[in-house]
Amino acid sequence: QEEDSPITRFQRYLRINTAHPTPDYDSAVSFLKAQAHSLGLQAQTLYFAPNKPLLLLTWPGSDPSLPSILLNSHLDSVPAEPAKWLHPPFSAHRAHDGAIFGRGTQDDKSIAIQYLEAIRNLQARSFSPLRSLHISLVPDEEIGGFDGAAKFVDSPQFAALNVGFALDEGQASPRDEFRVFYADRIPWNLKIKAWGPPGHGSRMYDGSAMENLMQSVEVVSRFRESQFNVVKAGKAFNAEVVSVNPVYLKAGLVSQDGFAMNVQPSEAEAGFDLRLTPTTDPEEMRRRIAEEWAPAVRNMSYEIIEKGPLRDYMGRPLMTATNDSNPWWSVFKQAITSVGEKLSRPEILASTTDARYLRQKGIPVLGFSPMKNTPILLHDHNEHLKDAVFMKGIQVYESLISSLSTFTEASH
Ligand SMILES: [Zn+2]
Ligand SMILES: [Zn+2]
């Protein structure tokens, strides 16, 4: 008979394969629903798209008229390459040093279980919240959240929650202090396409599609270097500049045994992951792309897919204040320090989370995953988390939940 503990419950969740492109959301939701049931939480399964459940859990507060607290975590994960892992990515193998291996250990299945285990411990101490506490377990974060968090925040069910403050995932800290994030960068998926006359592979002529595209790649690389240099010079954090990284190249005529090596193709395409900071001027970025990266005069075109909003309903950048103007910030900070932990300077997250959709609604949100002395392994091979770090995180959330849910001074 297998023991039942926070660690084994974490392992059970990790063994449910919710990686794209075929996430098993149903198994994840029924597992989490059973956990919620054992805690006496209210549970609702919402569908904003077919086969994409969103599980909403509630621990009602004694004063439901006060704005509530929302803890968010996504159900899905990015895919893994099992052959390149030390232990299979859905085995939740626990090594001798306590490291639990699995896709989702850091991003972000740990926090979902930690939220629930913190509630379990608080209930054991007969704690009861003043404000209602909600946990949202959302689908599709890793593919943009359009059928998950984006639709949820626009729903009447969400409006009814009257959320005053929220926590969402953060990132691991390699140092002995926790990291906290007040904003995300916003992804643009950029496709650049070039055309040019085709020709024999032996000919040198001007304006081929490939030559054309490679010129663009060089221009993009120079921009990338200019941004990266600011970081290398110590003038900005990683996430305070615009990043651009090539993620695919597509060209060439297919022949029986691979590519036709002696044909210069008439079309070529490159894809880039571009991340804008919360204060990047999108119009200036568009102008740069249109004029410098994919000029129509050089037979080029481009497509930008914006993965989320850059501004809130008032036209302001999506940033949560981390100063005295935001009373929740003090409560958050105090809850961390009161358990003897340290926070590093608040940062912009280099990647992107569903927090942007909440911030767009004007809700203050902090990105936080209590993982310190931990290598940053999200989306990497051998993603893992030490059992002791996971257990410590539960204690941190006990402090956060009790402080946030009993905070009386702010109405928003
Ligand atoms: Zn994540
Ligand atoms: Zn991720």
Side-chain angles (χ1 to χ4, degrees):
Q1 197 187 325
E2 200 191 39
E3 59 163 333
D4 200 21
S5 70
I7 298 285
T8 61
R9 289 187 281 269
F10 181 34
Q11 288 173 307
R12 282 171 64 197
Y13 187 31
L14 291 168
R15 288 180 189 131
I16 301 168
N17 183 341
T18 54
H20 290 285
T22 51
D24 182 1
Y25 287 139
D26 290 335
S27 300
V29 165
S30 53
F31 169 74
L32 293 165
K33 216 177 204 168
Q35 293 302 312
H37 187 75
S38 75
L39 299 170
L41 305 180
Q42 299 171 0
Q44 269 179 279
T45 310
L46 309 174
Y47 285 87
F48 298 102
N51 306 314
K52 296 184 177 193
L54 185 155
L55 181 61
L56 179 62
L57 308 176
T58 298
W59 190 10
S62 55
D63 187 352
S65 72
L66 290 172
S68 65
I69 307 296
L70 176 70
L71 308 177
N72 186 55
S73 172
H74 58 87
L75 296 162
D76 56 323
S77 300
V78 290
E81 297 171 76
K84 298 181 181 168
W85 285 54
L86 278 164
H87 306 287
F90 301 99
S91 65
H93 174 83
R94 191 181 185 178
H96 292 298
D97 64 351
I100 299 163
F101 282 74
R103 177 55 88 223
T105 45
Q106 294 195 10
D107 181 13
D108 66 348
K109 287 180 167 170
S110 48
I111 59 172
I113 302 299
Q114 286 166 331
Y115 297 158
L116 294 167
E117 297 300 330
I119 291 174
R120 194 184 304 281
N121 293 348
L122 288 168
Q123 289 181 345
R125 288 196 260 133
S126 305
F127 171 87
S128 61
L130 175 69
R131 294 172 189 269
S132 292
L133 180 79
H134 307 284
I135 301 179
S136 47
L137 299 141
V138 306
D140 281 13
E141 189 277 342
E142 293 290 5
I143 56 169
F146 302 112
D147 286 336
K151 288 186 174 151
F152 177 47
V153 301
D154 276 335
S155 70
Q157 292 95 333
F158 180 82
L161 303 181
N162 184 23
V163 175
F165 176 74
L167 290 178
D168 197 0
E169 62 179 322
Q171 245 178 49
S173 163
R175 291 173 301 140
D176 193 37
E177 39 190 31
F178 292 124
R179 300 167 72 194
V180 60
F181 303 89
Y182 62 90
D184 290 0
R185 289 199 298 186
I186 300 301
W188 278 9
N189 291 357
L190 172 65
K191 296 179 188 179
I192 293 182
K193 210 165 170 179
W195 284 271
H200 194 280
S202 66
R203 278 187 63 213
M204 303 257 256
Y205 55 91
D206 285 324
S208 78
M210 283 296 252
E211 188 206 2
N212 217 349
L213 185 69
M214 289 195 300
Q215 263 189 45
S216 274
V217 170
E218 278 175 37
V219 175
V220 175
S221 293
R222 276 200 291 278
F223 174 80
R224 182 184 183 279
E225 200 181 349
S226 76
Q227 298 293 298
F228 203 4
N229 279 342
V230 177
V231 177
K232 286 174 178 167
K235 294 200 175 89
F237 276 155
N238 212 355
E240 292 169 349
V241 300
V242 175
S243 68
V244 55
N245 291 300
V247 287
Y248 75 81
L249 294 167
K250 203 165 86 182
L253 265 66
V254 177
S255 112
Q256 216 169 14
D257 47 0
F259 287 101
M261 295 298 290
N262 55 358
V263 180
Q264 301 189 52
S266 66
E267 291 182 12
E269 189 179 312
F272 300 88
D273 178 310
L274 194 66
R275 303 268 166 152
L276 276 54
T277 76
T279 53
T280 304
D281 177 354
E283 289 321 310
E284 193 194 319
M285 205 65 230
R286 276 180 204 287
R287 186 207 51 78
R288 185 186 293 278
I289 293 166
E291 290 174 16
E292 299 174 20
W293 296 5
V297 290
R298 239 175 52 223
N299 294 323
M300 308 198 66
S301 72
Y302 65 91
E303 186 190 347
I304 297 169
I305 303 167
E306 299 181 36
K307 297 271 182 173
L310 262 169
R311 301 281 180 261
D312 71 8
Y313 61 101
M314 297 276 284
R316 293 170 303 204
L318 304 180
M319 300 194 285
T320 297
T322 48
N323 55 35
D324 291 342
S325 73
N326 174 8
W328 295 107
W329 167 245
S330 327
V331 181
F332 175 86
K333 216 168 48 172
Q334 174 67 28
I336 301 292
T337 50
S338 72
V339 285
E341 298 294 336
K342 285 191 296 278
L343 274 179
S344 50
R345 174 158 88 86
E347 298 168 64
I348 298 171
L349 188 69
S351 57
T352 309
T353 71
D354 282 333
R356 66 197 186 286
Y357 297 117
L358 293 157
R359 291 193 182 108
Q360 196 192 18
K361 294 282 165 189
I363 296 169
V365 190
L366 294 173
F368 178 70
S369 296
M371 302 183 285
K372 59 172 196 173
N373 301 312
T374 298
I376 303 167
L377 292 170
L378 72 169
H379 299 202
D380 204 339
H381 301 325
N382 295 314
E383 182 180 352
H384 63 263
L385 183 63
K386 285 256 175 86
D387 51 7
V389 174
F390 171 80
M391 291 304 295
K392 178 74 205 180
I394 296 172
Q395 228 188 308
V396 172
Y397 281 117
E398 285 175 49
S399 175
L400 282 167
I401 293 171
S402 61
S403 301
L404 294 165
S405 69
T406 53
F407 179 54
T408 50
E409 277 153 61
S411 57
H412 291 287

